[in-house]
Amino acid sequence: MAKVRAAITGVGAYLPEYRLTNEELSKMVDTSDEWIMQRIGIKERRILKEEGKATSDMGAWAVQNLLEKTGTAPEEVDMLICATITPDMVLPATGNIIAHKANIHNAWSFDLNAACSGFIFALSTATQFIESGRYKKVVIVAAEKMSSIINYEDRTTCPLFGDGAAAVLVEPTTEDLGVVDYINRVDGLGRYHLHIKAGGSLKPASMETVQNKEHYLYQEGQAVFKAAVSSMADVAAEIMEKNNLTAHDIAWLVPHQANMRIIEATAKRMNISKDKVMINIRRYGNTTAATIPLCLFDYEKQLKKGDNVVLAAFGAGFTWGSCYLKWAYDPQ
């Protein structure tokens, strides 16, 4: 009997219209276009400005775009996984809200918090449910309203992040396609270098935490950069070695879009030329869990059935991971 694999069969996305450029940002905080481009590689980022709109709205719009593109009825979806670190609220799960807004009523859903590695962790999870034979159509939606947790007076973090959402449909296949292998890792010691100090059970919200701006993202840049470069490059190289892949075998590297220097270091470690690396950080910045599926969305027309694709990410926690898949469909 042929082995059942989990394959991505469609990609949808939503990006807010508002573009926060480096020029505008330099009027808000002590920075410049030259500084940001040289050190990070971001020119602009999208920001969700609409009053009363949240992560779930972007996620639902991305899911609706996905279902329309793939000709999938909402009632056909068995399961929805939402990768996010910017939930609408502590409870209920944002995945539940997205499912409701996208008219998905026959599925169960949950949130997965792995920061920038969220999409890879979610794809690994969806793969297990598909391979078990229990589910036929799983939607993964990665959605982030990073502007809601960024202090725009902090020049070390505010240039980095943007808002956006992307979704993929995962279905079973018996062809030699889909997810072949993945490696996921965490190191809880990394929490000291990248976190939000208050708002959880350790330090509940209070007048003091709000006044001290402890509900914004805190990052020790050098420590995070050093860990990201080594971990993301190592895990991408490891999955190549584990599956006997050479640079020649790989059609695309899809790296998390955090920093151009991290992207370049990962590609160099894998001996992958820049023309095989998906890059859109210049236009969107770091959308955390959404960066990898947004790359797949942007490059979808260049992907061909059977292409060997390697995904790699590193995020807060620390979390990091890599996934090797064979692309399942040709451009439309």
Side-chain angles (χ1 to χ4, degrees):
M1 191 173 178
K3 176 179 171 59
V4 174
R5 279 189 182 155
I8 293 173
T9 57
V11 189
Y14 173 80
L15 288 155
E17 291 184 11
Y18 184 80
R19 291 172 166 84
L20 177 58
T21 64
N22 290 345
E23 286 76 12
E24 183 178 354
L25 201 59
S26 66
K27 296 173 184 175
M28 300 162 60
V29 69
D30 181 20
T31 190
S32 68
D33 176 67
E34 181 183 14
W35 189 91
I36 297 169
M37 285 299 295
Q38 283 184 353
R39 289 165 177 79
I40 310 165
I42 301 170
K43 192 74 175 174
E44 61 182 31
R45 65 288 294 147
R46 302 294 184 94
I47 303 295
L48 184 65
K49 284 279 195 177
E50 287 87 345
E51 191 71 28
K53 297 300 181 184
T55 294
S56 67
D57 294 291
M58 293 188 293
W61 293 328
V63 170
Q64 287 166 344
N65 176 242
L66 168 71
L67 298 182
E68 183 179 334
K69 280 178 64 179
T70 58
T72 304
E75 58 268 20
E76 293 180 86
V77 178
D78 302 308
M79 179 180 179
L80 183 145
I81 305 173
C82 174
T84 188
I85 58 165
T86 54
D88 284 18
M89 53 193 82
V90 174
L91 59 89
T94 299
N96 298 4
I97 302 170
I98 291 173
H100 180 259
K101 289 181 176 180
N103 294 314
I104 295 172
H105 302 301
N106 294 331
W108 66 290
S109 62
F110 60 91
D111 290 359
L112 189 155
N113 179 343
C116 302
S117 304
F119 179 76
I120 290 179
F121 281 30
L123 181 58
S124 307
T125 304
T127 294
Q128 299 304 305
F129 284 100
I130 292 289
E131 288 182 348
S132 74
R134 190 76 180 266
Y135 297 101
K136 303 298 183 186
K137 292 182 186 290
V138 177
V139 168
I140 299 170
V141 54
E144 301 286 12
K145 188 181 178 184
M146 292 302 295
S147 60
S148 66
I149 59 170
I150 297 302
N151 179 2
Y152 285 92
E153 296 177 355
D154 178 6
R155 70 189 293 268
T156 66
T157 57
C158 70
L160 306 178
F161 297 95
D163 301 341
V168 301
L169 181 63
V170 184
E171 298 182 275
T173 180
T174 53
E175 294 185 75
D176 185 23
L177 301 167
V179 175
V180 180
D181 197 9
Y182 55 83
I183 301 167
N184 295 322
R185 297 210 169 91
V186 301
D187 181 356
L189 284 174
R191 68 188 183 277
Y192 297 112
H193 305 296
L194 181 52
H195 59 261
I196 293 175
K197 294 178 184 296
S201 62
L202 177 65
K203 198 171 189 181
S206 66
M207 184 70 74
E208 182 183 8
T209 65
V210 173
Q211 288 174 341
N212 292 339
K213 299 181 179 179
E214 293 180 331
H215 297 270
Y216 292 124
L217 188 76
Y218 167 80
Q219 175 174 277
E220 293 175 5
Q222 280 302 111
V224 173
F225 177 82
K226 184 178 178 181
V229 168
S230 60
S231 299
M232 199 162 122
D234 285 351
V235 78
E238 183 179 347
I239 206 160
M240 285 178 66
E241 183 178 349
K242 187 179 173 188
N243 290 278
N244 300 311
L245 295 169
T246 67
H248 177 75
D249 298 321
I250 295 171
W252 293 101
L253 165 65
V254 192
H256 169 53
Q257 309 287 301
N259 182 303
M260 271 305 301
R261 289 182 291 172
I262 298 172
I263 293 170
E264 289 166 356
T266 303
K268 183 178 180 181
R269 176 71 185 278
M270 298 170 69
N271 200 28
I272 299 286
S273 58
K274 193 172 182 179
D275 62 321
K276 288 184 172 185
V277 183
M278 293 189 187
I279 301 171
N280 60 14
I281 186 174
R282 180 185 176 94
R283 292 183 291 136
Y284 307 142
N286 183 351
T287 54
T288 315
T291 67
I292 287 176
L294 278 174
C295 276
L296 295 176
F297 179 80
D298 278 358
Y299 284 79
E300 187 181 18
K301 286 183 168 58
Q302 298 180 53
L303 284 157
K304 297 180 180 62
K305 187 174 181 178
D307 277 354
N308 286 320
V309 180
V310 173
L311 319 177
F314 176 89
F318 290 139
T319 65
W320 64 100
S322 184
C323 177
Y324 163 42
L325 58 89
K326 290 178 178 288
W327 195 249
Y329 60 97
D330 283 319
Q332 299 296 316

